Amino acid sequence: MRRFHEVKVRNAMEVAVWGTGSPLREFLHVDDLADVVVFFMDKYSGLEHVNVGSGKEVSIKELAELVKEVVGFQGELVWDSSKPDGTPRKLMDSLKLAGLGWVPKISLRDGLVDTYKWYLEYVKQ
């Protein structure tokens, strides 16, 4: 997100992104994590672990396009396939959590919007 912002401010025409964009990732907003911790304290007393995740995958390409949109960068994404993609897929099995009745409330897009607002207020130079 920082790189997209910096490129936008410099009025550059492109931002380089490592890999092909095909790997899949899962994201969970920190406020959803706090919510699920409280949920567990109130509703779960089991001894087995419970994975916490959104259960939704997004490709790195989709993520980069979403960050581009949220930041307002108008240039092009340039995929550097000479760089590694990393692990093809990272998704938690959150079926047990869903079965307990908890679902995340904050979408990836909304989380990115909140994060960018925070960045603009507290971090950017």
Side-chain angles (χ1 to χ4, degrees):
M1 185 171 279
R2 177 188 53 81
R3 286 192 309 119
F4 281 72
H5 174 78
E6 290 172 352
V7 169
K8 173 187 158 185
V9 169
R10 288 194 319 259
N11 291 317
M13 299 309 298
E14 62 184 41
V15 63
V17 187
W18 278 24
T20 64
S22 63
L24 301 172
R25 297 293 181 263
E26 174 182 29
F27 294 89
L28 183 72
H29 194 279
V30 66
D31 290 349
D32 277 335
L33 179 59
D35 182 66
V36 78
V37 168
V38 172
F39 175 86
F40 282 141
M41 288 189 291
D42 290 340
K43 305 224 185 306
Y44 186 72
S45 60
L47 298 176
E48 295 179 359
H49 77 276
V50 179
N51 291 330
V52 175
S54 67
K56 297 177 183 172
E57 290 178 299
V58 61
S59 72
I60 297 298
K61 182 176 183 179
E62 291 167 319
L63 176 65
E65 291 287 350
L66 190 53
V67 170
K68 175 183 170 180
E69 175 188 327
V70 167
V71 169
F73 173 60
Q74 299 297 316
E76 298 297 319
L77 300 178
V78 177
W79 296 94
D80 184 352
S81 60
S82 72
K83 303 292 187 199
D85 268 336
T87 305
R89 187 173 187 219
K90 293 183 180 181
L91 176 68
M92 299 289 280
D93 178 357
S94 299
L95 290 176
K96 184 186 283 187
L97 178 60
L100 294 170
W102 187 87
V103 293
K105 295 166 185 65
I106 301 170
S107 70
L108 177 57
R109 185 181 199 297
D110 289 346
L112 289 173
V113 167
D114 288 346
T115 300
Y116 190 53
K117 285 178 184 176
W118 176 87
Y119 175 82
L120 291 174
E121 186 172 347
Y122 296 105
V123 178
K124 78 171 183 89
Q125 306 287 327

